Amino acid sequence: MIRQNAVYWINRAYKEGWALGMFNAHHLEAMQAIARAADKMKSPVMLGLTMGGIRHVGLEYFVSMAEIARQETSVPLLLHLDHGADYDAVKACIEAGFDSVMIDASSTSYDYNVELVRKVVELAKKHGVGVEAQIGETLAEEGGEVIELKTTVEEARTFVADTGIDYLAVSIGNTPGTLGDHAPIDIELTKQLSAAAKIPLVLHGGTSVSADVVHEVIASGVAKVNIDAAVKGGFRTAFMETYRAEDPIVDTRIPMAHGRELAQKAVEERIRIFGAENKVA
């Protein structure tokens, strides 16, 4: 039986010096692309769902698609809630069988953030579910405004101690939601945060970070990297190629299938960059 345990895999990556990839899977073709890439590369992955993804595809649809994907693959496909907005959303995902959840109250006061995260940790531990939370702000999720407040060393140290989370999302210059790879990542800060937190760090907006810098942050304590824009980018390219034609085809399955191929290649590339290839025997 495949071990579907997020904390196990992230801690293993942390100790061994590679990173677990989380790829958002907001529709069927994206789910297939990620699962097929993971299976081909013999890598565990997280199948991510955001609040916008819940509104788009529905929680039950997502879980059902993931179950079929699991039946068709031989690697761990871990379900993760990305940027859970509130306790009820997190609770619903835990009850639906998710392996990992992120509760994101990073834009609120420190005290409220800690209070909410503690509540989530208490619930998650009863179900064997991993918990991620964030201190410091990097907001560009699903079209949001970019607001950067870098995580401080003292915040990382006290937040981990005050909450009991399993892995910590940090703001280190990353720019979620963008396709470029020139995010101004602060490597020295990453090292300091890792030393202070003493738990695996999470890099959001991994698409915006070059391969060389990803290698550096992994060496500095990042053990989970989130990818969204690279997956969407595959479908975007396929749509643009198809519908910029003078007389575009009617059958939308054709560009969706092409987008799935491009997204799968993007996921395979990230798995290689993260050093996660062949981690499943």
Side-chain angles (χ1 to χ4, degrees):
M1 182 178 181
I2 297 172
R3 186 169 187 177
Q4 306 283 355
N5 186 293
V7 175
Y8 164 80
W9 281 107
I10 291 178
N11 280 330
R12 176 177 162 183
Y14 181 58
K15 292 173 184 176
E16 295 179 356
W18 53 279
L20 183 68
M22 189 231 69
F23 303 90
N24 281 327
H26 291 150
H27 49 72
L28 172 63
E29 287 79 7
M31 177 80 70
Q32 291 170 327
I34 298 162
R36 292 173 185 178
D39 204 40
K40 179 179 175 180
M41 304 294 285
K42 299 301 177 188
S43 170
V45 298
M46 282 186 162
L47 299 172
L49 185 67
T50 62
M51 299 302 295
I54 292 174
R55 291 189 294 271
H56 177 72
V57 72
L59 183 57
E60 291 183 0
Y61 272 100
F62 177 84
V63 172
S64 297
M65 290 191 299
E67 181 56 35
I68 294 172
R70 282 174 167 174
Q71 293 171 14
E72 295 181 348
T73 58
S74 58
V75 296
L77 303 178
L78 306 157
L79 307 191
H80 175 76
L81 173 63
D82 187 24
H83 290 281
D86 52 54
Y87 181 80
D88 289 341
V90 170
K91 183 173 182 287
C93 287
I94 290 174
E95 292 176 347
F98 275 49
D99 308 286
S100 174
V101 292
M102 178 192 187
I103 178 66
D104 186 2
S106 58
S107 62
T108 67
S109 70
Y110 180 85
D111 289 345
Y112 179 79
N113 193 357
V114 168
E115 179 184 357
L116 181 56
V117 173
R118 280 178 176 171
K119 187 177 178 182
V120 167
V121 168
E122 181 180 3
L123 175 65
K125 296 306 179 187
K126 295 177 183 177
H127 296 267
V129 172
V131 179
E132 173 186 343
Q134 179 167 324
I135 190 72
E137 287 188 71
T138 307
L139 303 179
E141 301 298 329
E142 301 189 303
E145 181 184 359
V146 175
I147 303 173
E148 182 183 30
L149 293 174
K150 283 186 179 180
T151 309
T152 69
V153 172
E154 185 57 31
E155 283 176 332
R157 181 183 296 109
T158 57
F159 189 69
V160 170
D162 288 345
T163 60
I165 56 173
D166 298 295
Y167 21 100
L168 174 68
V170 291
S171 176
I172 52 175
N174 40 321
T175 55
T178 60
L179 282 169
D181 63 354
H182 304 296
I185 300 298
D186 190 332
I187 299 296
E188 184 56 38
L189 175 60
T190 307
K191 293 176 181 178
Q192 294 172 4
L193 294 174
S194 178
K198 294 182 171 54
I199 63 171
L201 301 183
V202 179
L203 173 68
H204 284 243
T207 302
S208 70
V209 183
S210 68
D212 289 344
V213 175
V214 169
H215 294 156
E216 288 190 74
V217 296
I218 291 174
S220 301
V222 167
K224 173 177 175 280
V225 181
N226 287 15
I227 298 290
D228 180 65
V231 176
K232 290 175 178 173
F235 294 97
R236 177 192 184 198
T237 296
F239 296 157
M240 291 174 69
E241 290 177 358
T242 299
Y243 294 111
R244 279 180 171 174
E246 186 174 337
D247 185 21
I249 60 173
V250 174
D251 190 348
T252 56
R253 292 173 297 182
I254 294 174
M256 288 298 286
H258 182 39
R260 180 173 56 202
E261 293 174 359
L262 296 177
Q264 180 177 337
K265 290 179 181 178
V267 174
E268 290 173 9
E269 179 185 4
R270 267 41 185 212
I271 288 172
R272 289 190 192 96
I273 292 171
F274 301 161
E277 187 176 4
N278 294 321
K279 295 303 181 182
V280 181

